């Protein structure tokens, strides 16, 4: 444990976060967009845990748990919205749900 | 030795996440996502956070991905969906996201690189310590997380219930 520099864990979190961001920008299927969001949240959790481990305190893991609760809540509501999208528009294309013209 | 294990787990997590984000078939992508989450759990173990690692496996790989899997099965995506994904993922679409996330990568890499290197403390933070701190200093955050989960429960029930009743009427 002592031999891993804190930078490396942060680099890993950075790369994972950017892969998630890449997925959100690239994909149009709403299920893949949600998966990419999960990847991004997981990377944030990794950054918190590694920061907590760098100082040897429990706070990082507590933050990770709160992120976990947030991710679970988000995915429950978002998958309900996916079912509604499929029912109303007969597609998973996230661009089809643009009736607000935002 | 720890650094080598960290490198292996990190490489596995990066590779499987890239594969998960770029798959055409949703169920294949979910399997790669599970591999990625397990690799991150291994990283948590190596960083001396065993409780976070256990939660990563139980809740992320166990509960959240299974929820995705249920929805993918409910939507009944067949062979047609792979073809449709291929249409949606044209090669030209890769350029914009690649440039944007590449620029962000360079920025953040430089920020982290300029920090002086911190070594991890060698002691692992076990579940007992986490629990004590969580239910003393962070008790308000725990209560708020409970309220958030209740709101999500009500919201998911509301959205999902209408889906189920409408589907019954169609049959």
């Amino acid at each position: 444990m002592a031999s891993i520099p804190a930078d490396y864990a942060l680099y890993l979190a950075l790369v994972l976060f950017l892969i998630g961001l890449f997925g959100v920008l690239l994909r149009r299927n709403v299920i893949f967009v949600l998966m990419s969001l999960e990847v991004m949240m997981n990377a944030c959790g990794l950054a918190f845990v590694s920061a907590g481990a760098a100082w040897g305190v429990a706070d990082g893991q507590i933050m990770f748990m709160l992120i976990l609760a947030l991710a679970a809540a988000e995915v429950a509501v978002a998958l309900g919205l996916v079912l509604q999208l499929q029912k109303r528009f007969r597609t998973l294309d996230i661009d089809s749900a643009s009736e607000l013209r935002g | 030795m720890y650094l080598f294990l960290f490198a292996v787990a990190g490489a596995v997590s990066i590779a499987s996440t890239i594969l998960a984000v770029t798959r055409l078939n949703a169920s294949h992508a979910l399997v790669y996502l599970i591999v990625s989450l397990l690799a991150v759990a291994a990283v948590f173990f190596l960083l001396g956070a065993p409780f976070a690692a256990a939660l990563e496996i139980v809740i992320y790989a166990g509960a959240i991905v299974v929820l995705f899997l249920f929805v993918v099965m409910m939507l009944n995506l067949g062979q047609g969906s792979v073809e449709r994904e291929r249409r949606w993922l044209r090669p030209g679409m890769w350029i914009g996201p690649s440039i944007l996330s590449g620029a962000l990568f360079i920025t953040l890499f430089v920020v982290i690189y300029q920090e002086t290197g911190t070594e991890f403390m060698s002691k692992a933070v076990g579940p007992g310590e986490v629990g004590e701190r969580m239910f003393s200093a962070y008790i308000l955050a725990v209560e708020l997380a409970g309220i958030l989960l209740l709101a999500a429960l009500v919201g998911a029930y509301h959205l999902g219930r209408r889906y189920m009743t409408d589907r019954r009427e169609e049959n």
Side-chain angles (χ1 to χ4, degrees):
Chain A
M1 286 158 226
S3 54
I4 303 170
D7 310 11
Y8 292 3
L10 285 180
Y11 287 137
L12 180 61
L14 166 64
V15 172
L16 288 178
F17 184 86
L18 287 176
I19 294 170
L21 180 67
F22 178 77
V24 171
L25 292 171
L26 178 69
R27 302 305 297 251
R28 281 168 70 196
N29 186 328
V30 65
I31 292 204
F32 284 92
V33 171
L34 287 176
M35 272 171 56
S36 306
L37 282 175
E38 291 301 314
V39 169
M40 287 167 82
M41 264 194 234
N42 192 35
C44 293
L46 176 59
F48 269 115
V49 170
S50 55
W55 277 280
V57 292
D59 302 49
Q61 293 188 52
I62 293 168
M63 277 300 165
F64 173 72
M65 258 179 273
L66 296 176
I67 289 176
L68 214 59
L70 182 70
E74 178 250 336
V75 88
V77 174
L79 287 174
L81 288 172
V82 171
L83 295 181
Q84 290 292 324
L85 186 76
Q86 171 75 7
K87 195 188 81 184
R88 275 162 209 259
F89 297 100
R90 295 280 160 213
T91 175
L92 290 174
D93 185 357
I94 201 162
D95 290 343
S96 66
S98 60
E99 293 194 333
L100 280 177
R101 300 276 170 252
Chain B
M1 184 60 197
Y2 282 123
L3 196 59
F4 174 71
L5 291 175
F6 176 81
V8 171
V12 168
S13 70
I14 290 171
S16 56
T17 311
I18 290 175
L19 286 169
V21 166
T22 54
R23 284 310 85 182
L24 298 176
N25 188 323
S27 357
H28 297 177
L30 283 170
V31 174
Y32 279 119
L33 188 63
I34 290 175
V35 175
S36 155
L37 295 171
L38 292 180
V40 173
V43 170
F44 284 167
F45 265 116
L46 292 171
L47 294 179
F51 192 47
L55 284 178
E56 174 92 10
I57 294 174
V58 172
I59 297 182
Y60 252 119
I64 293 180
V65 177
V66 168
L67 210 58
F68 270 105
L69 215 55
F70 277 148
V71 169
V72 169
M73 284 171 156
M74 251 170 113
L75 297 178
N76 207 3
L77 307 169
Q79 269 301 320
S81 73
V82 175
E83 280 303 311
R84 196 191 55 210
E85 286 294 312
R86 192 167 284 131
R87 274 205 317 279
W88 284 354
L89 265 182
R90 284 188 304 274
M93 291 180 67
W94 295 77
I95 300 168
S98 305
I99 293 172
L100 287 174
S101 42
L104 197 54
F105 175 76
I106 292 166
T107 318
L108 293 175
F109 185 87
V110 169
V111 169
I112 298 175
Y113 190 74
Q114 281 174 344
E115 290 294 311
T116 50
T118 315
E119 286 279 316
F120 281 111
M121 295 201 169
S122 51
K123 88 182 165 74
V125 181
E129 206 175 320
V130 175
E132 272 170 27
R133 188 126 177 83
M134 188 157 167
F135 288 102
S136 57
Y138 285 92
I139 185 69
L140 184 64
V142 173
E143 307 256 358
L144 287 174
I147 293 172
L148 175 73
L149 286 173
L150 177 65
L153 178 70
V154 173
Y157 177 72
H158 178 68
L159 291 168
R161 190 196 50 171
R162 279 195 307 194
Y163 175 81
M164 293 310 287
T165 49
D166 288 2
R167 210 159 69 152
R168 256 205 302 280
E169 280 161 15
E170 279 172 18
N171 291 342

